[in-house]
Amino acid sequence: MSRRAVVFGAAGQLGIELVRELQQRRFTVVSWDRSKVDITDPAAVENALANYDAEIVFNAAAYNQVDVAEKEPQAAFQVNALAVRNLALACRQVDAQLVHFSTDYVFDGAARHPYVEEDPTHPLGAYAVSKLAGELYAQAYLDRALVVRTSGVFGPGGLTTARGNFVELMLRLAGSPNPIRVVEDHVASPTFAPLLASRTIDLVERDISGLFHIGGGAPISWFQFARLIFEAAGLKPTLLATNEREYRTPARRPKYSALSNAKMERSGIAPLPPLRDVLTTYFEARAAAVQR
Ligand SMILES: NC(=O)c1ccc[n+]([C@@H]2O[C@H](COP(=O)([O-])OP(=O)(O)OC[C@H]3O[C@@H](n4cnc5c(N)ncnc54)[C@H](OP(=O)(O)O)[C@@H]3O)[C@@H](O)[C@H]2O)c1
């Protein structure tokens, strides 16, 4: 019999890919976007799960506006922390496994090696604090939650979602005559949403729980990532390197937040392919999405 899964936040970049991948692997899937179930409503979450005999519950919903969160920290905390508590409590009632996603921003960026799961956390702002609190809520109420930290998510869903993603932002900027300035002193692990979904489901299928990092492979600065994007897209806009001193944002961000996938790989899960190859796949998937 196929396993029964639920996806909350199903209309986001990751949610779309989780639903697609679960269906391909013959899970029975129910997906809810915010209009169907708002995860900040404890009764709505509890009712939704009580009426569906789920074995695995994926939370792809998140408040991801890192800079806006500095003005409205309560809004970020409601979605990223207290709503995870709602999900954890509801999962405990129906004995379902919660699979929750967190961020590289739980770290302060002082490291000079890709972060491993054992590294101490030190969030630098309201968004990051709210995401760390979400991890803690998932782990506080559940013995076998799977918490996956990831970084710079981009997927074809970003073409249509309100928040978009870095690739779509770069393509939009390339359409204007102005030079594009991107920070070269911030390094991360941009992660392709379909691969994040499939590697996470690999962990679930092996019945693995705990804390895992799934980041997009070799560490790369946002400037170098922008370069790769324009190469893959066959575009030649004027791209200039800047740095955090020149390009100030309301929220502090870790300068270095690359994630190590070593624990995931030790668990028998395939490594992620190089970013250059992933971007080729992104542009193929994007072209298909544009045609639909
Ligand atoms: N995107 C990144 O660069 C990044 C980096 C590190 C970690 N992550 C983490 O990776 C996960 C997936 O991110 P993503 O890129 O797929 O995000 P996304 O594209 O912004 O999708 C988030 C989804 O959550 C929904 N949502 C927000 N509040 C909700 C609520 N109260 N109830 C139900 N749904 C709600 C949003 O709906 P609306 O559109 O209606 O708001 C949206 O569909 C998240 O946990 C995120 O924190 C992302």
mmCIF file of all heavy atoms in Angstrom, residues 246-291:
data_model
loop_
_atom_site.group_PDB
_atom_site.id
_atom_site.type_symbol
_atom_site.label_atom_id
_atom_site.label_comp_id
_atom_site.label_asym_id
_atom_site.label_seq_id
_atom_site.Cartn_x
_atom_site.Cartn_y
_atom_site.Cartn_z
ATOM 1 N N GLU A 246 29.152 48.199 0.901
ATOM 2 C CA GLU A 246 28.504 49.073 -0.091
ATOM 3 C C GLU A 246 27.009 48.760 -0.213
ATOM 4 O O GLU A 246 26.201 49.645 -0.473
ATOM 5 C CB GLU A 246 29.134 48.837 -1.468
ATOM 6 C CG GLU A 246 30.461 49.532 -1.642
ATOM 7 C CD GLU A 246 31.117 49.152 -2.964
ATOM 8 O OE1 GLU A 246 30.472 48.504 -3.830
ATOM 9 O OE2 GLU A 246 32.284 49.486 -3.127
ATOM 10 N N TYR A 247 26.662 47.482 -0.083
ATOM 11 C CA TYR A 247 25.287 47.040 -0.328
ATOM 12 C C TYR A 247 24.650 46.680 1.005
ATOM 13 O O TYR A 247 24.692 45.554 1.462
ATOM 14 C CB TYR A 247 25.304 45.833 -1.273
ATOM 15 C CG TYR A 247 23.932 45.371 -1.710
ATOM 16 C CD1 TYR A 247 23.262 46.017 -2.744
ATOM 17 C CD2 TYR A 247 23.306 44.297 -1.083
ATOM 18 C CE1 TYR A 247 21.997 45.605 -3.133
ATOM 19 C CE2 TYR A 247 22.039 43.874 -1.468
ATOM 20 C CZ TYR A 247 21.396 44.539 -2.494
ATOM 21 O OH TYR A 247 20.145 44.125 -2.878
ATOM 22 N N ARG A 248 24.092 47.690 1.668
ATOM 23 C CA ARG A 248 23.562 47.472 3.027
ATOM 24 C C ARG A 248 22.127 46.980 2.964
ATOM 25 O O ARG A 248 21.340 47.444 2.149
ATOM 26 C CB ARG A 248 23.628 48.756 3.833
ATOM 27 C CG ARG A 248 25.052 49.207 4.055
ATOM 28 C CD ARG A 248 25.224 49.901 5.382
ATOM 29 N NE ARG A 248 26.641 50.157 5.605
ATOM 30 C CZ ARG A 248 27.363 49.521 6.518
ATOM 31 N NH1 ARG A 248 26.805 48.620 7.305
ATOM 32 N NH2 ARG A 248 28.642 49.791 6.669
ATOM 33 N N THR A 249 21.789 46.056 3.846
ATOM 34 C CA THR A 249 20.416 45.540 3.921
ATOM 35 C C THR A 249 19.929 45.691 5.363
ATOM 36 O O THR A 249 20.745 45.721 6.294
ATOM 37 C CB THR A 249 20.371 44.047 3.523
ATOM 38 O OG1 THR A 249 21.270 43.317 4.355
ATOM 39 C CG2 THR A 249 20.731 43.835 2.073
ATOM 40 N N PRO A 250 18.599 45.782 5.560
ATOM 41 C CA PRO A 250 18.088 45.939 6.935
ATOM 42 C C PRO A 250 18.500 44.773 7.839
ATOM 43 O O PRO A 250 18.775 44.970 9.020
ATOM 44 C CB PRO A 250 16.567 45.966 6.740
ATOM 45 C CG PRO A 250 16.368 46.410 5.326
ATOM 46 C CD PRO A 250 17.536 45.889 4.550
ATOM 47 N N ALA A 251 18.533 43.547 7.296
ATOM 48 C CA ALA A 251 18.891 42.388 8.135
ATOM 49 C C ALA A 251 20.373 42.056 7.968
ATOM 50 O O ALA A 251 20.905 42.127 6.861
ATOM 51 C CB ALA A 251 18.058 41.174 7.734
ATOM 52 N N ARG A 252 21.007 41.713 9.086
ATOM 53 C CA ARG A 252 22.362 41.170 8.995
ATOM 54 C C ARG A 252 22.270 39.740 8.471
ATOM 55 O O ARG A 252 21.356 39.006 8.821
ATOM 56 C CB ARG A 252 23.012 41.146 10.381
ATOM 57 C CG ARG A 252 23.326 42.511 10.920
ATOM 58 C CD ARG A 252 24.460 42.436 11.922
ATOM 59 N NE ARG A 252 24.128 41.618 13.091
ATOM 60 C CZ ARG A 252 25.043 41.061 13.894
ATOM 61 N NH1 ARG A 252 26.328 41.222 13.657
ATOM 62 N NH2 ARG A 252 24.664 40.361 14.948
ATOM 63 N N ARG A 253 23.218 39.367 7.632
ATOM 64 C CA ARG A 253 23.251 38.007 7.092
ATOM 65 C C ARG A 253 24.627 37.411 7.338
ATOM 66 O O ARG A 253 25.622 38.148 7.336
ATOM 67 C CB ARG A 253 22.990 38.026 5.574
ATOM 68 C CG ARG A 253 21.564 38.369 5.183
ATOM 69 C CD ARG A 253 21.483 38.656 3.691
ATOM 70 N NE ARG A 253 20.118 38.669 3.180
ATOM 71 C CZ ARG A 253 19.250 39.653 3.321
ATOM 72 N NH1 ARG A 253 19.596 40.742 3.985
ATOM 73 N NH2 ARG A 253 18.028 39.575 2.816
ATOM 74 N N PRO A 254 24.705 36.076 7.494
ATOM 75 C CA PRO A 254 26.035 35.469 7.661
ATOM 76 C C PRO A 254 26.848 35.637 6.383
ATOM 77 O O PRO A 254 26.323 35.445 5.295
ATOM 78 C CB PRO A 254 25.714 33.997 7.917
ATOM 79 C CG PRO A 254 24.324 33.787 7.419
ATOM 80 C CD PRO A 254 23.616 35.093 7.507
ATOM 81 N N LYS A 255 28.121 36.017 6.532
ATOM 82 C CA LYS A 255 28.959 36.205 5.343
ATOM 83 C C LYS A 255 29.279 34.870 4.685
ATOM 84 O O LYS A 255 29.504 34.800 3.490
ATOM 85 C CB LYS A 255 30.276 36.890 5.728
ATOM 86 C CG LYS A 255 30.191 38.394 5.741
ATOM 87 C CD LYS A 255 31.555 38.994 5.925
ATOM 88 C CE LYS A 255 31.785 40.045 4.881
ATOM 89 N NZ LYS A 255 33.005 40.791 5.012
ATOM 90 N N TYR A 256 29.333 33.840 5.505
ATOM 91 C CA TYR A 256 29.654 32.506 4.983
ATOM 92 C C TYR A 256 28.617 31.545 5.544
ATOM 93 O O TYR A 256 28.504 31.396 6.765
ATOM 94 C CB TYR A 256 31.057 32.090 5.432
ATOM 95 C CG TYR A 256 31.491 30.758 4.872
ATOM 96 C CD1 TYR A 256 32.258 30.682 3.715
ATOM 97 C CD2 TYR A 256 31.108 29.577 5.482
ATOM 98 C CE1 TYR A 256 32.639 29.458 3.188
ATOM 99 C CE2 TYR A 256 31.483 28.344 4.957
ATOM 100 C CZ TYR A 256 32.251 28.301 3.819
ATOM 101 O OH TYR A 256 32.633 27.089 3.293
ATOM 102 N N SER A 257 27.825 30.921 4.669
ATOM 103 C CA SER A 257 26.789 30.017 5.201
ATOM 104 C C SER A 257 26.667 28.761 4.342
ATOM 105 O O SER A 257 25.596 28.165 4.264
ATOM 106 C CB SER A 257 25.448 30.736 5.310
ATOM 107 O OG SER A 257 25.009 31.131 4.030
ATOM 108 N N ALA A 258 27.797 28.378 3.699
ATOM 109 C CA ALA A 258 27.757 27.133 2.921
ATOM 110 C C ALA A 258 27.484 25.964 3.867
ATOM 111 O O ALA A 258 27.927 25.979 5.021
ATOM 112 C CB ALA A 258 29.079 26.936 2.192
ATOM 113 N N LEU A 259 26.766 24.986 3.370
ATOM 114 C CA LEU A 259 26.389 23.823 4.190
ATOM 115 C C LEU A 259 27.119 22.575 3.699
ATOM 116 O O LEU A 259 27.263 22.364 2.493
ATOM 117 C CB LEU A 259 24.878 23.583 4.101
ATOM 118 C CG LEU A 259 23.985 24.704 4.644
ATOM 119 C CD1 LEU A 259 22.513 24.382 4.377
ATOM 120 C CD2 LEU A 259 24.216 24.918 6.141
ATOM 121 N N SER A 260 27.556 21.757 4.644
ATOM 122 C CA SER A 260 28.177 20.475 4.296
ATOM 123 C C SER A 260 27.104 19.401 4.182
ATOM 124 O O SER A 260 26.265 19.262 5.081
ATOM 125 C CB SER A 260 29.174 20.077 5.382
ATOM 126 O OG SER A 260 29.477 18.704 5.265
ATOM 127 N N ASN A 261 27.158 18.631 3.097
ATOM 128 C CA ASN A 261 26.207 17.522 2.913
ATOM 129 C C ASN A 261 26.786 16.197 3.387
ATOM 130 O O ASN A 261 26.233 15.137 3.078
ATOM 131 C CB ASN A 261 25.844 17.384 1.426
ATOM 132 C CG ASN A 261 25.067 18.583 0.918
ATOM 133 O OD1 ASN A 261 24.397 19.255 1.686
ATOM 134 N ND2 ASN A 261 25.161 18.837 -0.363
ATOM 135 N N ALA A 262 27.908 16.250 4.132
ATOM 136 C CA ALA A 262 28.620 15.006 4.480
ATOM 137 C C ALA A 262 27.716 14.027 5.235
ATOM 138 O O ALA A 262 27.726 12.823 4.953
ATOM 139 C CB ALA A 262 29.867 15.331 5.291
ATOM 140 N N LYS A 263 26.927 14.533 6.175
ATOM 141 C CA LYS A 263 26.079 13.615 6.963
ATOM 142 C C LYS A 263 25.047 12.946 6.055
ATOM 143 O O LYS A 263 24.797 11.741 6.157
ATOM 144 C CB LYS A 263 25.389 14.389 8.102
ATOM 145 C CG LYS A 263 24.538 13.510 8.995
ATOM 146 C CD LYS A 263 23.899 14.301 10.143
ATOM 147 C CE LYS A 263 22.980 13.430 10.984
ATOM 148 N NZ LYS A 263 22.201 14.216 11.949
ATOM 149 N N MET A 264 24.468 13.744 5.157
ATOM 150 C CA MET A 264 23.500 13.185 4.200
ATOM 151 C C MET A 264 24.171 12.099 3.358
ATOM 152 O O MET A 264 23.617 11.002 3.183
ATOM 153 C CB MET A 264 22.980 14.308 3.291
ATOM 154 C CG MET A 264 22.045 13.844 2.200
ATOM 155 S SD MET A 264 21.850 15.047 0.867
ATOM 156 C CE MET A 264 23.298 14.723 -0.137
ATOM 157 N N GLU A 265 25.387 12.381 2.875
ATOM 158 C CA GLU A 265 26.072 11.401 2.017
ATOM 159 C C GLU A 265 26.455 10.152 2.811
ATOM 160 O O GLU A 265 26.356 9.034 2.295
ATOM 161 C CB GLU A 265 27.298 12.054 1.361
ATOM 162 C CG GLU A 265 26.894 13.090 0.323
ATOM 163 C CD GLU A 265 28.071 13.889 -0.227
ATOM 164 O OE1 GLU A 265 29.225 13.408 -0.133
ATOM 165 O OE2 GLU A 265 27.842 14.995 -0.741
ATOM 166 N N ARG A 266 26.854 10.346 4.078
ATOM 167 C CA ARG A 266 27.180 9.169 4.918
ATOM 168 C C ARG A 266 25.956 8.292 5.141
ATOM 169 O O ARG A 266 26.068 7.117 5.425
ATOM 170 C CB ARG A 266 27.710 9.623 6.293
ATOM 171 C CG ARG A 266 29.165 10.058 6.300
ATOM 172 C CD ARG A 266 29.730 10.039 7.723
ATOM 173 N NE ARG A 266 28.947 10.812 8.678
ATOM 174 C CZ ARG A 266 29.046 12.135 8.873
ATOM 175 N NH1 ARG A 266 29.922 12.836 8.172
ATOM 176 N NH2 ARG A 266 28.284 12.749 9.761
ATOM 177 N N SER A 267 24.772 8.871 4.990
ATOM 178 C CA SER A 267 23.537 8.107 5.169
ATOM 179 C C SER A 267 23.147 7.360 3.898
ATOM 180 O O SER A 267 22.039 6.812 3.809
ATOM 181 C CB SER A 267 22.395 9.033 5.581
ATOM 182 O OG SER A 267 22.748 9.745 6.726
ATOM 183 N N GLY A 268 24.021 7.411 2.901
ATOM 184 C CA GLY A 268 23.781 6.642 1.681
ATOM 185 C C GLY A 268 23.008 7.406 0.620
ATOM 186 O O GLY A 268 22.546 6.835 -0.368
ATOM 187 N N ILE A 269 22.882 8.724 0.796
ATOM 188 C CA ILE A 269 22.140 9.546 -0.172
ATOM 189 C C ILE A 269 23.141 10.125 -1.180
ATOM 190 O O ILE A 269 24.227 10.573 -0.802
ATOM 191 C CB ILE A 269 21.392 10.702 0.544
ATOM 192 C CG1 ILE A 269 20.589 10.186 1.746
ATOM 193 C CG2 ILE A 269 20.524 11.480 -0.424
ATOM 194 C CD1 ILE A 269 19.451 9.278 1.448
ATOM 195 N N ALA A 270 22.754 10.153 -2.446
ATOM 196 C CA ALA A 270 23.663 10.591 -3.519
ATOM 197 C C ALA A 270 24.057 12.058 -3.335
ATOM 198 O O ALA A 270 23.226 12.884 -2.944
ATOM 199 C CB ALA A 270 22.975 10.412 -4.865
ATOM 200 N N PRO A 271 25.333 12.394 -3.639
ATOM 201 C CA PRO A 271 25.764 13.802 -3.584
ATOM 202 C C PRO A 271 24.985 14.654 -4.584
ATOM 203 O O PRO A 271 24.380 14.113 -5.513
ATOM 204 C CB PRO A 271 27.241 13.744 -4.001
ATOM 205 C CG PRO A 271 27.623 12.315 -4.036
ATOM 206 C CD PRO A 271 26.381 11.494 -4.101
ATOM 207 N N LEU A 272 25.034 15.974 -4.372
ATOM 208 C CA LEU A 272 24.369 16.855 -5.338
ATOM 209 C C LEU A 272 25.302 17.143 -6.509
ATOM 210 O O LEU A 272 26.511 17.255 -6.314
ATOM 211 C CB LEU A 272 23.929 18.158 -4.654
ATOM 212 C CG LEU A 272 22.530 18.026 -4.047
ATOM 213 C CD1 LEU A 272 22.561 17.270 -2.730
ATOM 214 C CD2 LEU A 272 21.874 19.365 -3.877
ATOM 215 N N PRO A 273 24.760 17.250 -7.713
ATOM 216 C CA PRO A 273 25.597 17.523 -8.889
ATOM 217 C C PRO A 273 26.133 18.961 -8.858
ATOM 218 O O PRO A 273 25.628 19.801 -8.114
ATOM 219 C CB PRO A 273 24.638 17.334 -10.065
ATOM 220 C CG PRO A 273 23.269 17.417 -9.489
ATOM 221 C CD PRO A 273 23.346 17.098 -8.038
ATOM 222 N N PRO A 274 27.165 19.258 -9.684
ATOM 223 C CA PRO A 274 27.711 20.624 -9.713
ATOM 224 C C PRO A 274 26.657 21.650 -10.125
ATOM 225 O O PRO A 274 25.773 21.352 -10.930
ATOM 226 C CB PRO A 274 28.813 20.538 -10.786
ATOM 227 C CG PRO A 274 29.087 19.085 -10.968
ATOM 228 C CD PRO A 274 27.851 18.345 -10.590
ATOM 229 N N LEU A 275 26.812 22.852 -9.586
ATOM 230 C CA LEU A 275 25.836 23.920 -9.810
ATOM 231 C C LEU A 275 25.661 24.249 -11.297
ATOM 232 O O LEU A 275 24.561 24.567 -11.749
ATOM 233 C CB LEU A 275 26.294 25.152 -9.029
ATOM 234 C CG LEU A 275 25.257 26.134 -8.532
ATOM 235 C CD1 LEU A 275 24.021 25.464 -7.959
ATOM 236 C CD2 LEU A 275 25.881 27.056 -7.505
ATOM 237 N N ARG A 276 26.763 24.163 -12.037
ATOM 238 C CA ARG A 276 26.691 24.478 -13.478
ATOM 239 C C ARG A 276 25.685 23.533 -14.171
ATOM 240 O O ARG A 276 24.853 23.972 -14.960
ATOM 241 C CB ARG A 276 28.087 24.302 -14.086
ATOM 242 C CG ARG A 276 28.284 24.966 -15.410
ATOM 243 C CD ARG A 276 29.690 24.698 -15.897
ATOM 244 N NE ARG A 276 30.719 25.414 -15.150
ATOM 245 C CZ ARG A 276 31.125 26.644 -15.433
ATOM 246 N NH1 ARG A 276 30.585 27.280 -16.441
ATOM 247 N NH2 ARG A 276 32.047 27.225 -14.717
ATOM 248 N N ASP A 277 25.758 22.226 -13.829
ATOM 249 C CA ASP A 277 24.838 21.241 -14.433
ATOM 250 C C ASP A 277 23.405 21.500 -13.962
ATOM 251 O O ASP A 277 22.445 21.375 -14.723
ATOM 252 C CB ASP A 277 25.228 19.809 -14.022
ATOM 253 C CG ASP A 277 26.631 19.458 -14.494
ATOM 254 O OD1 ASP A 277 27.197 20.253 -15.263
ATOM 255 O OD2 ASP A 277 27.155 18.405 -14.080
ATOM 256 N N VAL A 278 23.305 21.867 -12.680
ATOM 257 C CA VAL A 278 21.981 22.100 -12.105
ATOM 258 C C VAL A 278 21.306 23.282 -12.811
ATOM 259 O O VAL A 278 20.103 23.261 -13.087
ATOM 260 C CB VAL A 278 22.121 22.363 -10.593
ATOM 261 C CG1 VAL A 278 20.844 22.906 -10.011
ATOM 262 C CG2 VAL A 278 22.529 21.082 -9.875
ATOM 263 N N LEU A 279 22.093 24.315 -13.128
ATOM 264 C CA LEU A 279 21.512 25.485 -13.799
ATOM 265 C C LEU A 279 21.004 25.118 -15.196
ATOM 266 O O LEU A 279 19.978 25.638 -15.645
ATOM 267 C CB LEU A 279 22.533 26.619 -13.872
ATOM 268 C CG LEU A 279 22.675 27.409 -12.569
ATOM 269 C CD1 LEU A 279 23.862 28.367 -12.643
ATOM 270 C CD2 LEU A 279 21.393 28.183 -12.241
ATOM 271 N N THR A 280 21.723 24.219 -15.865
ATOM 272 C CA THR A 280 21.244 23.764 -17.181
ATOM 273 C C THR A 280 19.869 23.128 -17.009
ATOM 274 O O THR A 280 18.928 23.416 -17.764
ATOM 275 C CB THR A 280 22.245 22.740 -17.778
ATOM 276 O OG1 THR A 280 23.526 23.333 -17.782
ATOM 277 C CG2 THR A 280 21.849 22.326 -19.178
ATOM 278 N N THR A 281 19.745 22.280 -15.995
ATOM 279 C CA THR A 281 18.453 21.626 -15.730
ATOM 280 C C THR A 281 17.393 22.676 -15.394
ATOM 281 O O THR A 281 16.242 22.586 -15.820
ATOM 282 C CB THR A 281 18.585 20.629 -14.556
ATOM 283 O OG1 THR A 281 19.726 19.820 -14.781
ATOM 284 C CG2 THR A 281 17.355 19.764 -14.409
ATOM 285 N N TYR A 282 17.792 23.687 -14.587
ATOM 286 C CA TYR A 282 16.847 24.741 -14.206
ATOM 287 C C TYR A 282 16.288 25.425 -15.459
ATOM 288 O O TYR A 282 15.078 25.623 -15.588
ATOM 289 C CB TYR A 282 17.531 25.788 -13.323
ATOM 290 C CG TYR A 282 16.605 26.916 -12.898
ATOM 291 C CD1 TYR A 282 15.859 26.819 -11.736
ATOM 292 C CD2 TYR A 282 16.448 28.060 -13.678
ATOM 293 C CE1 TYR A 282 14.992 27.834 -11.352
ATOM 294 C CE2 TYR A 282 15.575 29.079 -13.308
ATOM 295 C CZ TYR A 282 14.861 28.962 -12.137
ATOM 296 O OH TYR A 282 13.995 29.956 -11.759
ATOM 297 N N PHE A 283 17.191 25.757 -16.378
ATOM 298 C CA PHE A 283 16.724 26.497 -17.558
ATOM 299 C C PHE A 283 15.859 25.615 -18.469
ATOM 300 O O PHE A 283 14.931 26.110 -19.104
ATOM 301 C CB PHE A 283 17.893 27.150 -18.301
ATOM 302 C CG PHE A 283 18.318 28.419 -17.615
ATOM 303 C CD1 PHE A 283 19.493 28.486 -16.884
ATOM 304 C CD2 PHE A 283 17.512 29.547 -17.656
ATOM 305 C CE1 PHE A 283 19.862 29.645 -16.214
ATOM 306 C CE2 PHE A 283 17.870 30.720 -16.988
ATOM 307 C CZ PHE A 283 19.039 30.763 -16.270
ATOM 308 N N GLU A 284 16.137 24.302 -18.483
ATOM 309 C CA GLU A 284 15.254 23.393 -19.246
ATOM 310 C C GLU A 284 13.868 23.352 -18.603
ATOM 311 O O GLU A 284 12.851 23.478 -19.284
ATOM 312 C CB GLU A 284 15.853 21.975 -19.278
ATOM 313 C CG GLU A 284 17.011 21.851 -20.260
ATOM 314 C CD GLU A 284 17.846 20.581 -20.019
ATOM 315 O OE1 GLU A 284 17.437 19.730 -19.192
ATOM 316 O OE2 GLU A 284 18.898 20.464 -20.654
ATOM 317 N N ALA A 285 13.859 23.201 -17.277
ATOM 318 C CA ALA A 285 12.571 23.125 -16.561
ATOM 319 C C ALA A 285 11.820 24.452 -16.699
ATOM 320 O O ALA A 285 10.594 24.487 -16.842
ATOM 321 C CB ALA A 285 12.807 22.800 -15.095
ATOM 322 N N ARG A 286 12.584 25.543 -16.675
ATOM 323 C CA ARG A 286 11.976 26.871 -16.786
ATOM 324 C C ARG A 286 11.338 27.057 -18.159
ATOM 325 O O ARG A 286 10.217 27.555 -18.283
ATOM 326 C CB ARG A 286 13.069 27.920 -16.562
ATOM 327 C CG ARG A 286 12.580 29.330 -16.525
ATOM 328 C CD ARG A 286 13.750 30.270 -16.295
ATOM 329 N NE ARG A 286 13.260 31.597 -16.039
ATOM 330 C CZ ARG A 286 12.940 32.468 -16.976
ATOM 331 N NH1 ARG A 286 13.068 32.146 -18.246
ATOM 332 N NH2 ARG A 286 12.480 33.671 -16.653
ATOM 333 N N ALA A 287 12.061 26.620 -19.204
ATOM 334 C CA ALA A 287 11.539 26.766 -20.568
ATOM 335 C C ALA A 287 10.234 25.973 -20.695
ATOM 336 O O ALA A 287 9.255 26.452 -21.291
ATOM 337 C CB ALA A 287 12.576 26.273 -21.575
ATOM 338 N N ALA A 288 10.208 24.764 -20.097
ATOM 339 C CA ALA A 288 8.987 23.941 -20.154
ATOM 340 C C ALA A 288 7.859 24.651 -19.420
ATOM 341 O O ALA A 288 6.712 24.677 -19.888
ATOM 342 C CB ALA A 288 9.262 22.575 -19.550
ATOM 343 N N ALA A 289 8.183 25.269 -18.268
ATOM 344 C CA ALA A 289 7.151 25.951 -17.469
ATOM 345 C C ALA A 289 6.622 27.171 -18.231
ATOM 346 O O ALA A 289 5.414 27.459 -18.193
ATOM 347 C CB ALA A 289 7.724 26.366 -16.119
ATOM 348 N N VAL A 290 7.487 27.881 -18.929
ATOM 349 C CA VAL A 290 7.062 29.076 -19.673
ATOM 350 C C VAL A 290 6.110 28.673 -20.798
ATOM 351 O O VAL A 290 5.133 29.364 -21.087
ATOM 352 C CB VAL A 290 8.294 29.834 -20.239
ATOM 353 C CG1 VAL A 290 7.881 30.911 -21.222
ATOM 354 C CG2 VAL A 290 9.113 30.439 -19.104
ATOM 355 N N GLN A 291 6.385 27.509 -21.429
ATOM 356 C CA GLN A 291 5.547 27.061 -22.551
ATOM 357 C C GLN A 291 4.151 26.635 -22.106
ATOM 358 O O GLN A 291 3.209 26.708 -22.882
ATOM 359 C CB GLN A 291 6.224 25.880 -23.253
ATOM 360 C CG GLN A 291 7.175 26.354 -24.351
ATOM 361 C CD GLN A 291 7.988 25.213 -24.920
ATOM 362 O OE1 GLN A 291 7.707 24.052 -24.655
ATOM 363 N NE2 GLN A 291 8.975 25.552 -25.712
#
